[in-house]
Amino acid sequence: MYAKLYEPGADGSPRFREAACFAHWRRDFHDIWTSQKSEIAHEALERIGQLYDIEREIAGKSAYSPTSSCWPTQVERFFALLTEKRIKTRGR
């Protein structure tokens, strides 16, 4: 149903950038951890937990507060882990 949205535009470039929900990713990694005891899944759960910790800490604060600035770094580290371990997400 939504697959057409993910097709590239006429010039070949993506039409938009998907923003995934960490809660859904967390559930997938949790399921893998509980069924297989995968160390990669465990590390992913730890990192998502760190992102949740930051989110709780910065809730209601200005985007320019010093604490808010660590969010992008943690997200980049998480995606680096996924890339390093060649973990494919359910993206289109």
Side-chain angles (χ1 to χ4, degrees):
M1 180 169 155
Y2 293 104
K4 219 168 176 76
L5 293 172
Y6 292 90
E7 292 175 3
D11 65 353
S13 64
R15 292 193 212 183
F16 65 91
R17 186 173 185 181
E18 179 182 11
C21 171
F22 281 114
H24 289 104
W25 275 11
R26 186 190 180 289
R27 170 54 58 193
D28 291 343
F29 284 117
H30 179 266
D31 291 347
I32 294 167
W33 168 247
T34 57
S35 67
Q36 302 171 20
K37 300 300 182 215
S38 162
E39 286 302 316
I40 296 170
H42 184 262
E43 185 172 352
L45 289 170
E46 290 291 320
R47 290 186 188 216
I48 292 170
Q50 291 170 2
L51 294 172
Y52 283 167
D53 290 343
I54 293 169
E55 191 173 46
R56 276 189 294 277
E57 190 175 333
I58 66 175
K61 293 183 181 176
S62 164
Y64 301 104
S65 73
T67 309
S68 298
S69 65
C70 68
W71 173 262
T73 304
Q74 292 295 336
V75 171
E76 289 168 8
R77 287 181 184 161
F78 180 66
F79 284 108
L81 168 73
L82 297 178
T83 302
E84 174 190 337
K85 304 297 182 181
R86 298 177 188 260
I87 296 173
K88 302 253 186 219
T89 61
R90 285 195 272 173
R92 313 297 180 260

